[in-house]
């Protein structure tokens, strides 16, 4: 066999292998879909279920009805349906049945052959087949990737783009935080903000109250429940503009407006924040104080009460 024939044979084999690979990839990325009515107008509850790598993946959320090309969800009665969901990363071809807008069926995913190279040109160079499927499900568009790239965020990669879509990190969310004075530049922090509920409104409230919270402090406040409403309750008890780290310590150890009120009823007017935390750490409760008084130990200071508990006086 001369070199020309050998080259042609090699090309034919390579093409055959490519066709087999594509066919297997398309076969692997298939699964089930379900659809139910949503409480939100113009949307349906849509789920995609796949069985891969020995496990099951289930993604369900509210989708706009406009996402389903060739489908009339408002049509009454039972109907056989075929529809398409077109995404930058690929296309979902779906078929099945609906009855009064609810039903189920099968889907097959056809990846967009140009998507990985488009993302690679933006610096997202690890888009494998599994990630491309996930990015199609989450609708990670090329335009969205461009927007996030323009934000100049530290640690931004393909996985972060997917997480942004899952948790709702958008250009608008980032800009609204920056308008409140945060110079946020880490992708991980933005995801944590969304997970724990750090909002522009929260930042605005704290800044108007005279605080300059760091990103980590904002996250810690949300984790431990130091909310605006709770801070306002503390103000009514006379604790205005307490250091944010002390507020977090209050939440961790259980210093509450109710606790402060019970201490006031026992004659302890406005203890220092550190004293309140120490009382909770060592178990100096209103009940403990009342019990000591019933045994004749009256007029004890907070420091004395804490010392008694430390030394095991019950």
């Amino acid at each position: 066999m001369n070199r020309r024939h050998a080259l042609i044979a090699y090309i034919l084999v390579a093409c055959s292998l490519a066709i087999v690979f594509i066919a297997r990839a398309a076969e692997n990325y298939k699964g089930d879909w379900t659809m139910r009515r949503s409480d939100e107008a113009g949307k349906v509850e849509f789920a995609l279920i796949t069985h891969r790598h020995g496990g099951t993946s289930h993604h369900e959320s509210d989708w706009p009805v406009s996402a389903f090309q060739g489908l009339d969800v408002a049509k009454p009665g039972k109907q056989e349906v075929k529809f398409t969901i077109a995404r930058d990363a690929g296309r979902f071809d779906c078929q099945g049945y609906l009855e009064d807008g609810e039903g189920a069926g099968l889907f097959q995913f056809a990846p967009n052959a140009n998507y990985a190279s488009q993302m690679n040109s933006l610096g997202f160079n690890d888009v494998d087949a599994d990630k491309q499927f996930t990015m199609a499900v989450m609708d990670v568009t090329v335009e969205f990737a461009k927007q996030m790239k323009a934000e100049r965020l530290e640690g931004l990669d393909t996985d972060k783009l997917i997480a942004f879509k899952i948790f709702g990190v958008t250009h608008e969310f980032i800009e609204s935080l920056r308008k409140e004075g945060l110079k946020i530049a880490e992708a991980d922090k933005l995801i944590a903000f969304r997970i724990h509920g750090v909002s522009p409104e929260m930042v605005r409230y704290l800044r108007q109250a005279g605080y300059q919270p760091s990103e980590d402090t904002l996250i810690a406040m949300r984790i431990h429940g130091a909310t605006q409403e709770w801070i306002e309750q503390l103000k009514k008890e006379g604790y205005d503009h307490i250091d944010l780290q002390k507020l977090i310590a209050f939440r961790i150890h259980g210093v509450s407006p109710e606790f402060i009120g019970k201490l006031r009823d026992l004659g302890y007017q406005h203890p220092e924040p550190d004293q309140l935390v120490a009382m909770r750490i060592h178990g100096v409760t209103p009940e403990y104080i009342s019990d000591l008084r019933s045994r004749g130990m009256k007029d004890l200071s907070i420091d004395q009460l804490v010392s008694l508990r430390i030394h095991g006086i019950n």
Side-chain angles (χ1 to χ4, degrees), residues 35-55:
M35 183 179 292
R36 294 182 296 179
R37 287 184 292 272
S38 171
D39 294 332
E40 191 172 350
K43 293 189 175 183
V44 294
E45 291 182 13
F46 187 71
L48 291 170
I49 305 104
T50 57
H51 307 279
R52 290 176 50 76
H53 308 307

Side-chain angles (χ1 to χ4, degrees), residues 226-241:
T227 64
Q228 176 180 339
E229 295 75 19
W230 181 76
I231 293 172
E232 289 298 319
Q233 289 176 352
L234 285 176
K235 283 184 179 181
K236 293 177 182 178
E237 297 295 336
Y239 291 86
D240 190 7
H241 205 73

